[in-house]
Amino acid sequence: MAFDKDAFLTALDSMTVLELNDLVKAIEEKFGVSAAAMAAPAAGGAAGGAAAAEEKTEFNLVLAEAGSNKVGVIKAVREITGLGLKEAKDMVDGAPKVLKEAMPKADAEAAAKKLTEAGAKAELK
């Protein structure tokens, strides 16, 4: 059976952004590649080299929204920041707030995961 490129493109055209995102993630997992890593060489020339040289190594952890489980989010904020109860509550109540600055990527992703599991919305910038 031959691959039908037109049918594939038609199917992609009818997908929502969320469905396309899920498809990209599935392809990345299946083949062990990263779409972001593939985009830099495609830029080519000096632009590709500059993008690779400027890859971020430090991130700011931002609490975008506290969510409905404030108690769990406050506990997660205390664990991540080492703040006291009142300070952590004030940060959660004042969302969006930068919780920590200049975190290594792995630590920032782990902290964002903790916040998300607690019911908050977290961003890395």
Side-chain angles (χ1 to χ4, degrees), residues 36-85:
M38 299 308 289
E54 294 179 22
E55 184 176 336
K56 288 184 77 169
T57 57
E58 293 184 339
F59 295 86
N60 293 341
L61 176 64
V62 178
L63 175 65
E65 289 182 32
S68 60
N69 183 14
K70 265 183 150 175
V71 173
V73 175
I74 291 170
K75 287 180 182 178
V77 168
R78 288 186 69 197
E79 185 178 330
I80 293 165
T81 62
L83 294 173
L85 180 61

Side-chain angles (χ1 to χ4, degrees), residues 24-25 27-41 55 105:
V24 169
K25 286 180 182 178
I27 291 171
E28 287 175 343
E29 288 176 16
K30 170 87 173 156
F31 297 106
V33 296
S34 171
M38 299 308 289
E55 184 176 336
K105 185 176 182 178

